[in-house]
Amino acid sequence: MDIATNVSQVRLGDRPLVVCDIDEVVLEFLTPFTAFLRSHSYDLLPRSFRLYGNIVSLLDGRELDKAAVDAFEEVFFANQHLWQKPAEKAVETLQSLSADADIVFLTAMPPRHHGIRREFLDQLHLSFDLIATEEAKGPVVARLHDCRSLPVAFIDDMQRNLLSVANHVPDCLLLTMMANADFKPFAPPPVGNIVAATGWDHAAELLRAHFAADVLTSANPAA
């Protein structure tokens, strides 16, 4: 599999495409980030569906400002291999799905951290193409899919990313999924065609049904 850094480096086969976010979907993020913060005498409190305003000092309760949060996140991503671990069932499910579909990882992370994330995913036997970008995800998925007459699906924990893809790839199956149980209740409810997956087993069922429905439609265009 190619080690992608952008869309032009991805080579897709004649089969379905699954584009998948990383943090809180393939890898746990909030749980290890909380552990990382506590090692520096700060804590992440599950009070709303955001980082800013929820990170406080364990010494005096002071909230961290945006610049300080961004600085901690930068250090965390530079050392992500020491803290993060796969979400439950992520590795085996993705490996199984890859027998029938192309998998492309699309992570909203500064591209400068692409190399260390690439090495970490390879260690986990998740050697699928990886695109790290801070641009909107909808246009990226649209360029990947390129209006092919094949099933396409997108998995993410952030509604804004799912809506971005919905606007640019209308026929895309949109799945929302989140590994962390503490913050999940604060996530906005699915809107439009977004479907909530309870975990990787459920996501696999939804994806395979999406693939199968396309096969049936192709076999019977009048259906």
Side-chain angles (χ1 to χ4, degrees), residues 89-204:
K89 296 287 189 72
V91 174
E92 54 265 48
T93 304
L94 285 166
Q95 289 173 342
S96 176
L97 288 168
S98 70
D100 303 305
D102 286 326
I103 311 292
V104 176
F105 290 143
L106 177 57
T107 182
M109 186 181 68
R112 61 184 171 273
H113 297 305
H114 178 278
I116 192 164
R117 174 148 287 181
R118 174 74 277 166
E119 291 181 12
F120 184 41
L121 291 170
D122 287 345
Q123 291 171 13
L124 298 172
H125 304 291
L126 293 172
S127 299
F128 306 114
D129 287 328
L130 169 66
I131 298 170
T133 181
E134 293 178 293
E135 68 173 291
K137 291 190 175 183
V140 178
V141 176
R143 293 199 299 272
L144 277 169
H145 182 50
D146 198 24
C147 297
R148 302 183 313 154
S149 57
L150 289 163
V152 57
F154 176 66
I155 310 173
D156 203 291
D157 64 311
M158 301 299 293
Q159 190 169 99
R160 67 174 179 273
N161 295 329
L162 291 153
L163 293 176
S164 175
V165 173
N167 288 334
H168 289 83
V169 190
D171 58 339
C172 186
L173 173 65
L174 305 169
L175 300 183
T176 182
M177 187 164 61
M178 186 175 184
N180 182 275
D182 293 330
F183 279 84
K184 189 179 293 187
F186 297 99
V191 297
N193 294 326
I194 299 173
V195 179
T198 57
W200 272 106
D201 284 340
H202 187 206

Side-chain angles (χ1 to χ4, degrees), residues 15-18 145 148-153 210-211 214-215:
R15 57 190 197 151
L17 169 64
V18 178
H145 182 50
R148 302 183 313 154
S149 57
L150 289 163
V152 57
H210 182 57
F211 301 161
D214 182 80
V215 170

Side-chain angles (χ1 to χ4, degrees), residues 27-63:
L27 299 178
E28 291 187 8
F29 171 74
L30 291 171
T31 299
F33 188 53
T34 300
F36 167 77
L37 289 169
R38 288 173 179 169
S39 74
H40 290 81
S41 297
Y42 288 90
D43 200 4
L44 173 58
L45 304 179
R47 302 186 296 195
S48 62
F49 196 66
R50 61 200 301 265
L51 292 181
Y52 302 126
N54 287 331
I55 298 177
V56 301
S57 168
L58 288 172
L59 302 178
D60 58 17
R62 176 178 55 88
E63 291 184 3

